[in-house]
Amino acid sequence: MSEKQRIVIVGGVAGGASAAARLRRLSEDAEIILFERGDYISFANCGLPYHIGGVIPERKRLLVQTPQSFKNRFNVDVRVHSEVTSIDRVLKEVTVTDRKTDRVYTERYDSLILSPGAEPVKPPIPGLDNDNVLTLRNMADMDAIKKIVDCNALSHAVVVGGGYIGLEMAEALRERNIDVTLVELADQVFNVIDPEMAVAVQQQLQLHGIKLYLKTSVDSVEQEGGVLHVQLSTGETIQAGLMVMAIGVKPETTLAKKAGLEIGERGGISVNERMQTTDPAIYAVGDAVEVNDFVGGFKSLVPLAGPANRQGRIAADHIFDRASVYRDTQGTGICKVFDIAVGMTGLSEKMLGRMGIPYEKIYIHPASHAGYYPGAAQISLKLLFDPESGKILGAQATGAGGVDKRIDILAVAIRAGLTVHDLKDLELCYAPPFGSAKDPVNYAGFVASNVINGDVSVCHVEDVVGANGDIIILDVRTSAEVMGGTIAGAVNIPLDDLRGRLGELDKNKEILVYCQVGLRGYLACRILTQNGYQCRNLTGGYKTYKATLAAQSPSGPDLVPTMEASSREITSDSGEVDERSKTINTESQATLVKTIDACGLQCPGPVMEINNEMANLQPGESLTVVADDPGFAADIPAWCQSTGHKLTHLTPQAGGKYAATIVKRPPAACPALAESSQAVKQKTMVVFSGDFDKLMASFIIANGAAAMGSKVTMFFTFWGLNALRKSNPPSMKKTFIERMFGLMMPRGADKLTMSQMNMGGMGLAMIKG
């Protein structure tokens, strides 16, 4: 193809602007015209919420290129306020309307690139045409929202939708000290990940004072006296000064449809690997196109800036005969939600199940870097892989630090076709401030490889919840950890005691083992397996169990405890009051004895520190603990509820930290602990038989229960009392009937017989011996 040609681009931002810049780098002779119906051809649309929230104070920082700067650098004819309304594919012309002058004209092209983007979804809800109901897609939208936030003394806002924009807008408004209600139709926020992984995000929202409604829709919006009345499907009405609609986007395909270009099954413009539409002279890039999913091979819509940039470059390459193709999309993304990040790549478990693709999953909860170096934070990582080949299918992670690094590594691993076995051998940079000698990615590889190699079998939360009487659930955590919550019906044998207490476990039953995060459960399974037991380890441990149950709760997760009183003041490290977050504050008159710095300790480290220190306090005294483990905010309320101590403060702090203040209460004021003790630590054995083997079984079980800390009562029925008769009883006056019964009954344990398998007296003699 001759380089002297005319190329028309419809739409700027990521796809169109990238294509224009690449075209100019490939040819100084080509005539390039870029039409943009808005004011800006290249702006940081992902940064819009952060300008509203004040994190990016200067608006001009969002403008990547202006029409003049783009013209000066790339010699591209940029025409803003110009809308392309139709395409004549035969004449190779586009019709353009100048939106300022209403002039209509045509322009010829040799190659045409469509980058129309996507438009916000607007459902048919009455009242959405209100001036205070807005979407956020461009600079004008941002300016309109910011004007309301800046000028109207806004006190309450409603955000509808819990995706990227919804979460970022909820945080931005909260940073402006505005009360926020987030309404989401699905049963979780951030629907691109799995429900149990979204629980940490929902917890962050609630900890920072955002009222969260899941499985809820907006039925109507009305305005009275300048106030919006937002009617929810629950029957509640929320009053607000602003409502932001962020329920998603759909491809802008109006122009393509009018031109007769093929639209795919997902509603986007169909393109090939060179980004050509069904007309070889017309290309399409960005949010408007359908792409193939890299892992599953199905058609998908992925409105992300990274893919749009690459697609624009590939379209430009092909126009100038460069051998460049688009290699599908794997959906790698990340979102900041207050003090944590949530990231993903590849397919989710939901999507794998929907597509019928076989998979296995493991969960790990390692530190972001060496735990002994300050600032380490726990990462929760879910890895999905083929159970036979070990091919990596997807990954999700949440945490206060290091999420981006691990998801990026796993995204490259998926792109390169690596397996979980390859993850073990990845040589990643290590120094205490940045990682661990065994990086979380290596760790995930070890755990997944152990499953495939048969070194350990894993179970999942649904297996534990559905366990019957033929299965033993074994908790190998310490007693202090158990106080923070346990799985109903579980037997507690701490890992360090397991070898000496194997006899308490029935070899005829399968054992489902769990600890806090999975590591000690794996060690326990290795001990049990090599001693002849059949066992499986609960991957992700009790931490994943709690998250999964919270995600499955019919009413949605209740992740933040309700306190008797609250304020919104939070003190930052600098000593200034930060009103962006909720502080829960009661019983502040208690004497503060000590402050514990538990930063860098992984779960359950902070709770263990508290448990140890509480033993040194007197009732009415309190201590404060500061931790940076995201799971701490969920663990400490459960521990206090179990032990009966009083949680008086639970506050997010600057730098991803959490501060909790606990008042020690006397044992009599610990009803939760007392009730738990009465229910779990007391056992009654009924001895109803005079058979020697059954009697001995009753005593063995009673002794085992006593050894595990239970108070045991043995109740003997009429026949069972024979075991307690003395061989040479003292002389007593008895009635005729009493003497007859005495002659019929065995006189003491020495006279008892076996119930069966007596073996001519040999079995009885051996047991008695």
Side-chain angles (χ1 to χ4, degrees):
M1 181 183 293
S2 169
E3 291 190 359
K4 188 70 173 180
Q5 59 174 308
R6 173 179 264 223
I7 304 161
V8 170
I9 303 172
V10 179
V13 198
S18 295
R22 178 64 173 170
L23 287 165
R24 179 56 71 215
R25 291 196 298 271
L26 295 177
S27 173
E28 275 292 309
D29 297 326
E31 184 179 358
I32 306 169
I33 306 172
L34 192 156
F35 292 109
E36 170 56 53
R37 62 186 174 188
D39 297 321
Y40 308 98
I41 60 158
S42 185
F43 61 90
N45 49 359
C46 295
L48 301 180
Y50 299 107
H51 179 57
I52 294 171
V55 177
I56 302 174
E58 296 183 0
R59 184 179 183 275
K60 64 182 181 181
R61 297 284 298 274
L62 300 174
L63 301 176
V64 181
Q65 292 280 359
T66 66
Q68 189 58 49
S69 67
F70 209 75
K71 169 69 174 177
N72 294 341
R73 177 158 297 180
F74 297 107
N75 191 26
V76 172
D77 183 0
V78 178
R79 305 180 191 179
V80 294
H81 308 119
S82 299
E83 182 174 8
V84 176
T85 56
S86 64
I87 303 169
D88 189 323
R89 292 167 52 190
V90 177
L91 297 177
K92 286 191 172 183
E93 288 182 348
V94 296
T95 300
V96 186
T97 298
D98 187 323
R99 300 179 72 176
K100 282 197 169 183
T101 65
D102 292 330
R103 183 173 72 94
V104 179
Y105 61 97
T106 61
E107 288 287 358
R108 181 187 61 83
Y109 65 84
D110 294 309
S111 296
L112 175 64
I113 300 177
L114 302 180
S115 180
E119 58 181 345
V121 174
K122 295 181 179 180
I125 298 174
L128 289 193
D129 55 350
N130 191 286
D131 290 341
N132 283 10
V133 179
L134 300 169
T135 59
L136 181 61
R137 190 64 184 166
N138 52 42
M139 296 286 286
D141 295 336
M142 179 194 71
D143 291 339
I145 294 173
K146 195 169 186 301
K147 182 178 180 181
I148 294 175
V149 172
D150 290 345
C151 302
N152 289 7
L154 186 64
S155 61
H156 198 132
V158 173
V159 176
V160 184
Y164 283 97
I165 297 299
L167 292 176
E168 290 167 355
M169 273 307 306
E171 178 179 348
L173 293 168
R174 198 72 187 92
E175 293 285 358
R176 296 292 302 271
N177 199 32
I178 296 168
D179 290 332
V180 178
T181 297
L182 179 62
V183 181
E184 169 57 55
L185 181 61
D187 58 0
Q188 66 170 95
V189 299
F190 212 54
N191 209 31
V192 292
I193 64 174
D194 292 317
E196 75 279 12
M197 297 301 291
V199 166
V201 180
Q202 290 156 189
Q203 175 185 303
Q204 276 290 305
L205 296 172
Q206 292 176 324
L207 278 170
H208 287 81
I210 292 176
K211 191 169 185 181
L212 182 61
Y213 284 86
L214 299 177
K215 294 183 285 189
T216 304
S217 62
V218 173
D219 288 346
S220 65
V221 182
E222 297 179 356
Q223 185 170 5
E224 295 181 11
V227 177
L228 297 176
H229 294 258
V230 183
Q231 182 72 36
L232 304 182
S233 58
T234 60
E236 298 173 77
T237 300
I238 308 295
Q239 295 186 8
L242 169 69
M243 188 168 95
V244 179
M245 293 294 297
I247 62 174
V249 295
K250 61 181 181 180
E252 173 53 82
T253 58
T254 304
L255 189 60
K257 287 179 180 178
K258 285 177 63 176
L261 300 177
E262 183 179 296
I263 304 300
E265 58 192 65
R266 299 296 305 278
I269 303 171
S270 292
V271 293
N272 61 20
E273 62 182 3
R274 297 174 296 277
M275 307 313 299
Q276 288 174 297
T277 67
T278 44
D279 184 329
I282 302 177
Y283 299 76
V285 301
D287 298 353
V289 305
E290 278 189 4
V291 294
N292 291 323
D293 183 87
F294 182 80
V295 177
F298 51 84
K299 293 296 182 181
S300 180
L301 296 171
V302 184
L304 296 174
N309 274 283
R310 293 195 300 278
Q311 292 162 7
R313 179 186 177 94
I314 288 166
D317 280 353
H318 191 257
I319 289 172
F320 286 108
D321 299 322
R322 294 286 185 107
S324 182
V325 297
Y326 188 66
R327 304 184 189 277
D328 301 338
T329 298
Q330 61 194 76
T332 305
I334 193 166
C335 184
K336 174 185 176 294
V337 184
F338 293 102
D339 300 319
I340 69 168
V342 52
M344 81 300 300
T345 187
L347 294 182
S348 65
E349 183 179 0
K350 293 182 295 186
M351 186 59 72
L352 288 167
R354 198 173 301 145
M355 301 303 298
I357 300 174
Y359 68 92
E360 183 56 278
K361 61 182 177 180
I362 58 103
Y363 300 85
I364 61 172
H365 304 282
S368 57
H369 61 249
Y372 56 82
Y373 188 89
Q378 191 174 50
I379 296 173
S380 292
L381 191 151
K382 178 179 184 178
L383 186 68
L384 296 145
F385 55 94
D386 186 287
E388 298 295 330
S389 67
K391 179 182 177 182
I392 304 166
L393 304 175
Q396 302 163 33
T398 63
V403 168
D404 53 345
K405 173 180 176 179
R406 277 68 192 204
I407 289 297
D408 282 344
I409 294 170
L410 291 167
V412 173
I414 292 174
R415 178 66 61 174
L418 301 185
T419 69
V420 296
H421 306 295
D422 296 313
L423 298 182
K424 299 185 302 180
D425 301 321
L426 293 182
E427 187 173 331
L428 306 173
C429 61
Y430 160 59
F434 306 106
S436 301
K438 184 166 66 178
D439 190 86
V441 173
N442 301 131
Y443 184 21
F446 285 120
V447 175
S449 294
N450 285 340
V451 174
I452 293 178
N453 294 338
D455 292 331
V456 67
S457 296
V458 294
C459 63
H460 302 292
V461 173
E462 54 268 28
D463 301 316
V464 174
V465 172
N468 56 36
D470 295 328
I471 292 176
I472 298 172
I473 302 175
L474 177 61
D475 184 345
V476 296
R477 300 175 300 160
T478 65
S479 57
E481 292 174 86
V482 173
M483 279 192 268
T486 187
I487 297 175
V491 176
N492 178 223
I493 303 179
L495 175 63
D496 294 343
D497 300 338
L498 182 59
R499 288 182 179 89
R501 296 174 61 180
L502 291 175
E504 299 174 22
L505 301 171
D506 188 345
K507 278 191 176 181
N508 296 318
K509 293 185 176 182
E510 184 184 24
I511 303 173
L512 304 184
V513 184
Y514 75 93
C515 62
Q516 188 67 21
V517 297
L519 175 58
R520 285 171 292 171
Y522 165 66
L523 298 176
C525 268
R526 294 302 300 157
I527 294 171
L528 291 166
T529 301
Q530 294 177 78
N531 280 278
Y533 292 86
Q534 180 186 357
C535 69
R536 287 185 285 163
N537 182 31
L538 176 61
T539 179
Y542 188 67
K543 186 177 181 70
T544 296
Y545 172 85
K546 287 195 303 180
T548 303
L549 260 58
Q552 294 173 352
S553 171
S555 58
D558 185 13
L559 300 164
V560 177
T562 301
M563 299 292 183
E564 297 169 4
S566 66
S567 70
R568 288 183 53 192
E569 291 189 355
I570 173 171
T571 304
S572 68
D573 290 344
S574 63
E576 297 177 353
V577 173
D578 179 1
E579 295 189 353
R580 68 184 177 90
S581 303
K582 180 176 68 174
T583 298
I584 303 167
N585 182 6
T586 61
E587 287 193 41
S588 56
Q589 69 272 18
T591 303
L592 181 63
V593 173
K594 190 172 184 179
T595 298
I596 303 171
D597 183 359
C599 293
L601 293 180
Q602 294 184 58
C603 175
V607 172
M608 297 292 290
E609 288 285 313
I610 294 171
N611 184 69
N612 293 336
E613 292 293 339
M614 291 298 282
N616 302 321
L617 299 186
Q618 297 298 316
E621 295 180 335
S622 68
L623 61 81
T624 295
V625 61
V626 179
D628 53 10
D629 171 22
F632 174 74
D635 292 335
I636 190 59
W639 184 86
C640 289
Q641 183 178 15
S642 177
T643 59
H645 300 306
K646 183 69 176 182
L647 177 63
T648 61
H649 295 73
L650 178 57
T651 63
Q653 292 192 321
K657 299 177 182 179
Y658 305 87
T661 299
I662 304 102
V663 177
K664 182 170 183 175
R665 300 175 110 182
C670 299
L673 188 59
E675 290 172 9
S676 174
S677 176
Q678 290 295 323
V680 179
K681 294 299 184 181
Q682 291 193 3
K683 302 288 189 300
T684 298
M685 300 294 302
V686 180
V687 185
F688 60 88
S689 173
D691 295 323
F692 188 81
D693 51 335
K694 295 178 181 177
L695 171 73
M696 292 301 294
S698 298
F699 275 101
I700 290 170
I701 295 170
N703 275 283
M708 295 174 66
S710 294
K711 181 179 179 181
V712 182
T713 301
M714 298 188 72
F715 177 81
F716 291 82
T717 65
F718 177 79
W719 291 101
L721 280 172
N722 291 300
L724 304 181
R725 294 186 69 189
K726 294 183 178 182
S727 300
N728 298 303
S731 179
M732 294 183 62
K733 185 178 180 180
K734 297 182 181 179
T735 66
F736 175 77
I737 296 297
E738 290 171 341
R739 286 198 302 271
M740 289 298 101
F741 270 109
L743 290 172
M744 289 190 298
M745 300 300 167
R747 189 180 294 276
D750 212 30
K751 300 295 183 180
L752 300 181
T753 59
M754 295 278 280
S755 62
Q756 58 183 345
M757 295 179 64
N758 199 22
M759 299 172 62
M762 291 177 59
L764 177 62
M766 286 189 292
I767 293 178
K768 289 183 177 180

